[in-house]
Amino acid sequence: LSSEKYNRTEGFRPFIDAVHLGVTGAPRGHANFDRTKKNASEFFLEEFRQGFNTEWMKNKNIIMGSDRLHSVLSDQFVDGLMETFPWHDSRYYLKGSDNLVTVVVMYRSSRVEQIKSLWAASSDDDFSEWIRSLKSFDDLDSFRIAEKFHRKGAAIEVVDVDYIMKSKQNLSHYVICNVLHARCNHRGLVDGENAEPTVPLLATRGNSTDFEEAKLEDMSAALRDYECSFNFLRTSNRTMFHPESLKSQILQCNGSKGTDISRKSFNDNMRNIVGT
Protein backbone atom coordinates (compact mmCIF):
# COMPACT_ATOMS: atom_id res chain seq x y z
CA LEU A 1 0.00 0.00 0.00
CA SER A 2 1.65 3.19 -1.21
CA SER A 3 0.59 6.46 -2.79
CA GLU A 4 2.62 5.58 -5.91
CA LYS A 5 0.68 2.33 -6.43
CA TYR A 6 -2.63 3.92 -7.35
CA ASN A 7 -4.00 6.39 -9.89
CA ARG A 8 -7.41 7.93 -10.49
CA THR A 9 -8.64 4.88 -12.41
CA GLU A 10 -8.38 2.82 -9.21
CA GLY A 11 -11.42 4.62 -7.78
CA PHE A 12 -12.09 3.53 -4.20
CA ARG A 13 -9.67 0.59 -4.25
CA PRO A 14 -6.95 2.38 -2.21
CA PHE A 15 -9.59 3.43 0.32
CA ILE A 16 -10.85 -0.15 0.68
CA ASP A 17 -7.27 -1.44 1.02
CA ALA A 18 -6.51 1.21 3.64
CA VAL A 19 -9.59 0.34 5.71
CA HIS A 20 -8.68 -3.34 5.48
CA LEU A 21 -5.09 -2.74 6.61
CA GLY A 22 -6.29 -0.45 9.37
CA VAL A 23 -8.57 -3.07 10.94
CA THR A 24 -6.34 -6.11 10.45
CA GLY A 25 -3.26 -4.52 12.04
CA ALA A 26 0.09 -6.27 12.40
CA PRO A 27 0.21 -10.01 11.76
CA ARG A 28 0.80 -12.15 14.85
CA GLY A 29 4.49 -12.52 15.62
CA HIS A 30 5.47 -9.36 13.72
CA ALA A 31 5.90 -6.70 16.39
CA ASN A 32 7.85 -4.50 13.96
CA PHE A 33 5.23 -4.61 11.24
CA ASP A 34 6.10 -2.45 8.23
CA ARG A 35 5.49 1.07 9.52
CA THR A 36 5.52 2.40 5.95
CA LYS A 37 2.35 0.44 5.18
CA LYS A 38 0.73 1.72 8.35
CA ASN A 39 1.60 5.32 7.46
CA ALA A 40 0.23 4.86 3.95
CA SER A 41 -2.98 3.42 5.34
CA GLU A 42 -3.44 6.37 7.69
CA PHE A 43 -2.67 8.79 4.84
CA PHE A 44 -5.31 7.32 2.53
CA LEU A 45 -7.93 7.09 5.26
CA GLU A 46 -7.44 10.73 6.19
CA GLU A 47 -7.51 11.87 2.56
CA PHE A 48 -10.79 10.08 1.91
CA ARG A 49 -12.28 11.09 5.26
CA GLN A 50 -11.59 14.75 4.56
CA GLY A 51 -13.05 14.35 1.08
CA PHE A 52 -16.20 12.80 2.52
CA ASN A 53 -16.50 15.59 5.09
CA THR A 54 -16.09 18.29 2.45
CA GLU A 55 -18.81 16.90 0.20
CA TRP A 56 -21.11 16.14 3.13
CA MET A 57 -20.86 19.77 4.28
CA LYS A 58 -22.04 20.75 0.77
CA ASN A 59 -25.17 18.66 1.36
CA LYS A 60 -24.06 16.08 -1.20
CA ASN A 61 -24.38 12.31 -1.13
CA ILE A 62 -21.38 9.98 -0.99
CA ILE A 63 -21.42 7.14 -3.54
CA MET A 64 -18.73 4.47 -3.60
CA GLY A 65 -18.10 1.01 -4.99
CA SER A 66 -15.26 -1.46 -5.37
CA ASP A 67 -14.76 -5.04 -6.52
CA ARG A 68 -12.41 -5.45 -3.53
CA LEU A 69 -15.25 -5.78 -1.02
CA HIS A 70 -15.65 -9.54 -1.46
CA SER A 71 -12.01 -10.27 -0.65
CA VAL A 72 -11.66 -8.09 2.46
CA LEU A 73 -15.08 -8.46 4.08
CA SER A 74 -15.33 -8.97 7.84
CA ASP A 75 -17.31 -7.50 10.71
CA GLN A 76 -14.24 -5.46 11.64
CA PHE A 77 -13.95 -4.16 8.09
CA VAL A 78 -17.60 -3.01 8.03
CA ASP A 79 -17.06 -1.24 11.38
CA GLY A 80 -13.91 0.43 10.04
CA LEU A 81 -15.62 1.52 6.85
CA MET A 82 -18.64 3.00 8.62
CA GLU A 83 -16.39 4.90 11.02
CA THR A 84 -14.94 6.91 8.13
CA PHE A 85 -18.29 8.57 7.43
CA PRO A 86 -18.63 12.24 8.43
CA TRP A 87 -21.00 11.79 11.38
CA HIS A 88 -18.40 9.59 13.11
CA ASP A 89 -15.61 12.20 12.88
CA SER A 90 -15.24 13.49 16.45
CA ARG A 91 -13.36 16.61 15.24
CA TYR A 92 -16.58 18.04 13.84
CA TYR A 93 -20.26 18.04 14.63
CA LEU A 94 -21.77 16.75 11.41
CA LYS A 95 -25.30 15.44 11.43
CA GLY A 96 -25.87 11.99 10.03
CA SER A 97 -26.47 8.36 10.92
CA ASP A 98 -25.61 4.86 9.76
CA ASN A 99 -29.32 4.57 8.96
CA LEU A 100 -28.67 6.93 6.04
CA VAL A 101 -26.39 4.37 4.36
CA THR A 102 -27.85 2.38 1.45
CA VAL A 103 -26.13 -0.73 0.09
CA VAL A 104 -27.03 -1.63 -3.52
CA VAL A 105 -26.70 -5.32 -4.44
CA MET A 106 -26.40 -6.06 -8.16
CA TYR A 107 -28.09 -9.45 -8.42
CA ARG A 108 -28.55 -11.84 -11.34
CA SER A 109 -31.85 -13.69 -10.94
CA SER A 110 -30.58 -16.35 -13.34
CA ARG A 111 -28.15 -18.03 -10.97
CA VAL A 112 -26.80 -20.34 -13.69
CA GLU A 113 -25.99 -17.30 -15.83
CA GLN A 114 -24.18 -15.69 -12.90
CA ILE A 115 -22.01 -18.79 -12.54
CA LYS A 116 -21.25 -18.77 -16.28
CA SER A 117 -20.57 -15.03 -16.23
CA LEU A 118 -18.08 -15.43 -13.37
CA TRP A 119 -16.33 -18.17 -15.36
CA ALA A 120 -16.18 -16.01 -18.50
CA ALA A 121 -14.78 -13.04 -16.56
CA SER A 122 -12.11 -14.90 -14.62
CA SER A 123 -10.72 -17.78 -16.68
CA ASP A 124 -9.78 -18.99 -20.16
CA ASP A 125 -9.98 -22.64 -19.03
CA ASP A 126 -12.82 -24.99 -19.84
CA PHE A 127 -15.73 -24.59 -17.44
CA SER A 128 -15.23 -27.98 -15.75
CA GLU A 129 -11.54 -27.30 -15.13
CA TRP A 130 -12.27 -23.82 -13.78
CA ILE A 131 -15.15 -24.79 -11.49
CA ARG A 132 -13.18 -27.67 -9.95
CA SER A 133 -10.15 -25.44 -9.36
CA LEU A 134 -12.05 -22.92 -7.21
CA LYS A 135 -10.91 -22.79 -3.59
CA SER A 136 -14.26 -21.29 -2.59
CA PHE A 137 -17.53 -20.13 -4.10
CA ASP A 138 -17.63 -16.88 -2.13
CA ASP A 139 -17.77 -14.74 -5.29
CA LEU A 140 -21.28 -16.11 -5.87
CA ASP A 141 -22.39 -14.92 -2.43
CA SER A 142 -24.50 -11.85 -3.14
CA PHE A 143 -25.92 -11.20 0.31
CA ARG A 144 -23.25 -11.82 2.98
CA ILE A 145 -21.83 -8.32 2.48
CA ALA A 146 -25.33 -6.83 2.53
CA GLU A 147 -26.20 -8.68 5.73
CA LYS A 148 -23.20 -7.25 7.56
CA PHE A 149 -24.14 -3.71 6.57
CA HIS A 150 -27.78 -4.39 7.44
CA ARG A 151 -26.74 -5.28 10.99
CA LYS A 152 -25.18 -1.82 11.24
CA GLY A 153 -28.43 -0.14 10.28
CA ALA A 154 -27.95 0.30 6.52
CA ALA A 155 -30.83 -0.01 4.06
CA ILE A 156 -30.49 -2.67 1.34
CA GLU A 157 -31.64 -2.34 -2.28
CA VAL A 158 -31.42 -5.45 -4.49
CA VAL A 159 -31.43 -4.77 -8.25
CA ASP A 160 -32.02 -7.61 -10.71
CA VAL A 161 -29.47 -7.08 -13.50
CA ASP A 162 -31.19 -9.70 -15.68
CA TYR A 163 -34.42 -7.70 -15.45
CA ILE A 164 -32.55 -4.58 -16.56
CA MET A 165 -31.07 -6.46 -19.51
CA LYS A 166 -34.38 -7.94 -20.65
CA SER A 167 -36.16 -4.60 -20.42
CA LYS A 168 -33.30 -2.88 -22.29
CA GLN A 169 -32.76 -0.20 -19.67
CA ASN A 170 -29.56 1.58 -18.69
CA LEU A 171 -28.30 0.04 -15.44
CA SER A 172 -26.53 3.14 -14.11
CA HIS A 173 -29.52 5.36 -14.81
CA TYR A 174 -31.90 2.79 -13.33
CA VAL A 175 -30.03 2.89 -10.02
CA ILE A 176 -29.83 6.70 -10.05
CA CYS A 177 -33.57 7.02 -10.80
CA ASN A 178 -35.01 4.20 -8.69
CA VAL A 179 -32.57 3.90 -5.78
CA LEU A 180 -31.18 7.43 -5.45
CA HIS A 181 -34.52 8.91 -6.61
CA ALA A 182 -32.99 11.55 -8.84
CA ARG A 183 -35.20 13.48 -11.24
CA CYS A 184 -35.57 11.36 -14.39
CA ASN A 185 -37.54 11.44 -17.63
CA HIS A 186 -40.09 8.99 -19.02
CA ARG A 187 -37.30 6.94 -20.65
CA GLY A 188 -35.76 6.13 -17.29
CA LEU A 189 -32.79 8.43 -17.84
CA VAL A 190 -31.54 11.25 -15.64
CA ASP A 191 -32.95 14.60 -16.77
CA GLY A 192 -30.54 16.38 -19.10
CA GLU A 193 -28.64 13.21 -20.02
CA ASN A 194 -28.63 11.80 -23.55
CA ALA A 195 -27.44 8.29 -22.72
CA GLU A 196 -29.16 5.50 -24.61
CA PRO A 197 -30.89 2.75 -22.59
CA THR A 198 -28.06 0.27 -23.11
CA VAL A 199 -27.70 -2.96 -21.19
CA PRO A 200 -24.73 -3.58 -18.86
CA LEU A 201 -21.68 -5.22 -20.39
CA LEU A 202 -21.38 -8.68 -18.85
CA ALA A 203 -18.68 -11.24 -19.57
CA THR A 204 -19.97 -14.09 -21.73
CA ARG A 205 -18.60 -17.10 -23.59
CA GLY A 206 -21.91 -18.36 -24.90
CA ASN A 207 -24.42 -20.69 -23.28
CA SER A 208 -22.61 -23.98 -23.80
CA THR A 209 -20.17 -25.48 -21.31
CA ASP A 210 -18.43 -28.85 -20.99
CA PHE A 211 -20.32 -29.42 -17.72
CA GLU A 212 -23.46 -31.44 -17.07
CA GLU A 213 -26.55 -29.24 -17.25
CA ALA A 214 -28.09 -31.16 -14.34
CA LYS A 215 -25.12 -30.24 -12.13
CA LEU A 216 -25.44 -26.58 -13.10
CA GLU A 217 -29.08 -26.68 -12.01
CA ASP A 218 -28.07 -28.39 -8.75
CA MET A 219 -25.54 -25.63 -8.12
CA SER A 220 -28.20 -23.03 -8.82
CA ALA A 221 -30.57 -24.74 -6.35
CA ALA A 222 -27.85 -24.89 -3.67
CA LEU A 223 -27.13 -21.21 -4.20
CA ARG A 224 -30.84 -20.33 -3.92
CA ASP A 225 -31.18 -22.37 -0.70
CA TYR A 226 -28.22 -20.54 0.76
CA GLU A 227 -29.65 -17.15 -0.19
CA CYS A 228 -33.05 -18.10 1.21
CA SER A 229 -31.48 -18.60 4.64
CA PHE A 230 -30.83 -14.84 4.99
CA ASN A 231 -33.72 -13.81 7.23
CA PHE A 232 -33.16 -10.07 6.76
CA LEU A 233 -34.31 -10.45 3.13
CA ARG A 234 -37.64 -11.75 4.43
CA THR A 235 -38.25 -9.67 7.54
CA SER A 236 -36.56 -6.28 7.16
CA ASN A 237 -38.68 -3.31 6.14
CA ARG A 238 -35.44 -1.62 5.03
CA THR A 239 -34.77 -4.14 2.26
CA MET A 240 -36.19 -3.24 -1.17
CA PHE A 241 -36.25 -5.27 -4.39
CA HIS A 242 -36.16 -4.05 -8.01
CA PRO A 243 -38.48 -5.21 -9.44
CA GLU A 244 -40.64 -5.97 -6.41
CA SER A 245 -41.41 -9.46 -7.75
CA LEU A 246 -37.73 -10.35 -7.24
CA LYS A 247 -38.37 -10.82 -3.51
CA SER A 248 -40.74 -13.75 -3.98
CA GLN A 249 -38.40 -15.25 -6.55
CA ILE A 250 -35.41 -15.16 -4.18
CA LEU A 251 -37.44 -16.46 -1.24
CA GLN A 252 -38.84 -19.52 -2.99
CA CYS A 253 -37.18 -21.84 -0.51
CA ASN A 254 -36.64 -25.58 -0.74
CA GLY A 255 -36.73 -26.34 2.96
CA SER A 256 -34.14 -23.74 4.05
CA LYS A 257 -36.57 -20.98 5.08
CA GLY A 258 -35.26 -19.40 8.26
CA THR A 259 -32.47 -21.99 8.51
CA ASP A 260 -29.01 -20.53 8.93
CA ILE A 261 -26.70 -22.00 6.31
CA SER A 262 -23.12 -21.01 6.99
CA ARG A 263 -20.78 -19.96 4.22
CA LYS A 264 -18.70 -23.07 4.96
CA SER A 265 -21.75 -25.32 4.54
CA PHE A 266 -22.61 -23.55 1.30
CA ASN A 267 -19.07 -24.08 -0.03
CA ASP A 268 -19.14 -27.75 1.06
CA ASN A 269 -22.47 -28.29 -0.71
CA MET A 270 -21.13 -26.74 -3.90
CA ARG A 271 -17.95 -28.85 -3.81
CA ASN A 272 -20.04 -32.01 -3.38
CA ILE A 273 -22.04 -31.11 -6.48
CA VAL A 274 -19.01 -30.18 -8.57
CA GLY A 275 -17.03 -33.28 -7.60
CA THR A 276 -13.42 -33.86 -8.51
Side-chain angles (χ1 to χ4, degrees), residues 69-70 72-75 77-78 103 105 107 111 137-152 156 223 225-233 259-267:
L69 285 172
H70 269 293
V72 301
L73 184 67
S74 67
D75 289 328
F77 174 84
V78 173
V103 174
V105 179
Y107 181 83
R111 311 314 280 136
F137 297 87
D138 291 349
D139 283 344
L140 295 173
D141 187 347
S142 299
F143 296 121
R144 184 63 70 185
I145 293 175
E147 182 187 44
K148 291 183 182 299
F149 281 101
H150 174 263
R151 290 174 179 172
K152 299 297 180 184
I156 309 298
L223 185 53
D225 277 352
Y226 173 63
E227 292 171 346
C228 207
S229 72
F230 287 94
N231 271 321
F232 80 94
L233 295 174
T259 303
D260 183 28
I261 300 177
S262 68
R263 180 175 272 189
K264 181 180 183 304
S265 296
F266 163 65
N267 275 283

Side-chain angles (χ1 to χ4, degrees), residues 32-91:
N32 295 321
F33 185 58
D34 190 341
R35 183 62 196 175
T36 302
K37 287 186 178 181
K38 186 66 175 177
N39 288 341
S41 171
E42 293 171 352
F43 167 79
F44 277 119
L45 286 176
E46 182 59 22
E47 286 290 300
F48 276 95
R49 186 179 287 112
Q50 290 290 6
F52 294 160
N53 289 347
T54 299
E55 297 307 312
W56 194 253
M57 291 176 185
K58 296 176 183 177
N59 200 32
K60 292 185 178 181
N61 291 319
I62 300 168
I63 304 173
M64 69 174 70
S66 174
D67 58 1
R68 281 281 289 148
L69 285 172
H70 269 293
S71 57
V72 301
L73 184 67
S74 67
D75 289 328
Q76 293 81 7
F77 174 84
V78 173
D79 287 339
L81 178 63
M82 300 287 261
E83 287 171 3
T84 64
F85 294 148
W87 51 88
H88 288 299
D89 195 330
S90 60
R91 295 171 297 182

Side-chain angles (χ1 to χ4, degrees), residues 159-210:
V159 177
D160 183 0
V161 175
D162 287 321
Y163 165 77
I164 303 297
M165 293 171 64
K166 289 176 182 176
S167 57
K168 300 186 184 301
Q169 298 184 68
N170 184 291
L171 180 59
S172 298
H173 283 257
Y174 184 91
V175 171
I176 294 171
C177 296
N178 295 277
V179 177
L180 300 180
H181 305 294
R183 182 177 297 175
C184 299
N185 60 33
H186 68 282
R187 298 175 62 205
L189 301 174
V190 177
D191 275 355
E193 295 290 333
N194 297 316
E196 291 300 316
T198 53
V199 299
L201 179 62
L202 298 173
T204 179
R205 290 172 63 177
N207 292 322
S208 62
T209 71
D210 62 338

